Amino acid sequence: SQTIHQWPATLVQPVGSPLSLECTVEGTSNPNLYWYRQAAGRGLQLLFYSVGIGQISSEVPQNLSASRPQDRQFILSSKKLLLSDSGFYLCGAGGVYEQYFGPGTRLTVT
Amino acid sequence: AQSVAQPEDQVNVAEGNPLTVKCTYSVSGNPYLFWYVQYPNRGLQFLLKYITGDNLVKGSYGFEAEFNKSQTSFHLKKPSALVSDSALYFCAVSAYNQGGKLIFGQGTELSVKP
């Protein structure tokens, strides 16, 4: 079975600072990878997804970007954080028929 | 456009009673339906899924869900609720031509009281 790691677990960053969140996957090859954001403890919104190395699709215009430098590594970045970037970020891995999630990163922008 | 609705923000159940968490969906083509559970400050845990086949799907921790195509529903059920079932539950939908992208409902907070 696959295991999804995310770090850091929590992060407090000032407005205007850069961001890098990392997700790595074990136990599977060539998974689709996804970044979701959960705001206010409820709804989940898909931010980015990737079907392979270097292939990134953005779902919503925003202050964030994503990269996939290796098959099982997915990175979420920002050059300058906004207050509205605060939230709980979840990395997903899988495909059409199944998707599993990492433990999440709680980001607070102050 | 695909969408998922969870009409109840919160469901309250007494321990030992049956529980139902409702979900309806809208999708072009055949739907792939999922239920996840989330405990505070944790990631999503997979409970069960419907891809094809029997309309009644059994999953983890005694949960089950029934796919109803005519009513476009996929309600989550459990015959006897436990206090430890208290958590946030999400229904999600995908479709074959969507690359596995999940559209989530807004979540339903389940509270099971002793």
Side-chain angles (χ1 to χ4, degrees):
Chain A
S1 63
Q2 61 184 314
T3 303
I4 303 168
H5 302 280
Q6 287 187 246
W7 63 89
T10 60
L11 191 60
V12 181
Q13 292 284 94
V15 168
S17 64
L19 173 74
S20 181
L21 303 182
E22 189 165 345
C23 169
T24 58
V25 182
E26 295 178 356
T28 186
S29 296
N30 196 31
N32 290 353
L33 296 175
Y34 310 85
W35 279 113
Y36 294 85
R37 178 168 59 201
Q38 184 176 30
R42 278 297 181 113
L44 289 134
Q45 182 182 38
L46 178 64
L47 302 176
F48 300 95
Y49 75 98
S50 171
V51 298
I53 295 174
Q55 301 179 63
I56 308 295
S57 296
S58 174
E59 289 296 296
V60 293
Q62 57 202 314
N63 184 45
L64 302 169
S65 62
S67 62
R68 185 171 178 173
Q70 300 181 46
D71 180 45
R72 290 174 286 178
Q73 184 185 27
F74 205 23
I75 297 172
L76 184 69
S77 303
S78 174
K79 292 182 179 179
K80 290 185 177 182
L81 283 169
L82 305 172
L83 285 174
S84 58
D85 292 324
S86 293
F88 192 53
Y89 289 82
L90 286 163
C91 177
V96 174
Y97 302 120
E98 62 182 11
Q99 192 165 142
Y100 297 93
F101 291 86
T105 294
R106 171 75 60 191
L107 172 65
T108 302
V109 182
T110 60
Chain B
Q2 297 183 130
S3 65
V4 176
Q6 292 180 242
E8 301 155 318
D9 283 342
Q10 183 153 4
V11 170
N12 297 309
V13 179
E15 188 175 28
N17 283 0
L19 70 86
T20 299
V21 183
K22 296 179 180 178
C23 172
T24 59
Y25 66 89
S26 174
V27 65
S28 300
N30 293 324
Y32 301 149
L33 295 155
F34 304 83
W35 275 102
Y36 292 88
V37 61
Q38 185 180 34
Y39 295 95
N41 292 309
R42 302 290 294 275
L44 300 181
Q45 293 181 31
F46 172 80
L47 283 178
L48 50 78
K49 65 181 178 182
Y50 173 82
I51 303 299
T52 187
D54 287 342
N55 290 341
L56 184 62
V57 178
K58 294 188 182 297
S60 306
Y61 313 118
F63 284 94
E64 59 187 29
E66 186 166 11
F67 171 63
N68 187 315
K69 188 172 183 178
S70 62
Q71 297 185 9
T72 62
S73 67
F74 189 56
H75 301 331
L76 181 70
K77 299 181 180 183
K78 186 173 183 180
S80 179
L82 300 172
V83 172
S84 57
D85 292 330
S86 299
L88 187 57
Y89 290 79
F90 288 98
C91 180
V93 68
S94 180
Y96 179 76
N97 62 351
Q98 294 296 312
K101 293 183 287 183
L102 293 177
I103 304 298
F104 285 89
Q106 284 300 299
T108 297
E109 186 79 42
L110 174 65
S111 177
V112 182
K113 300 295 186 185

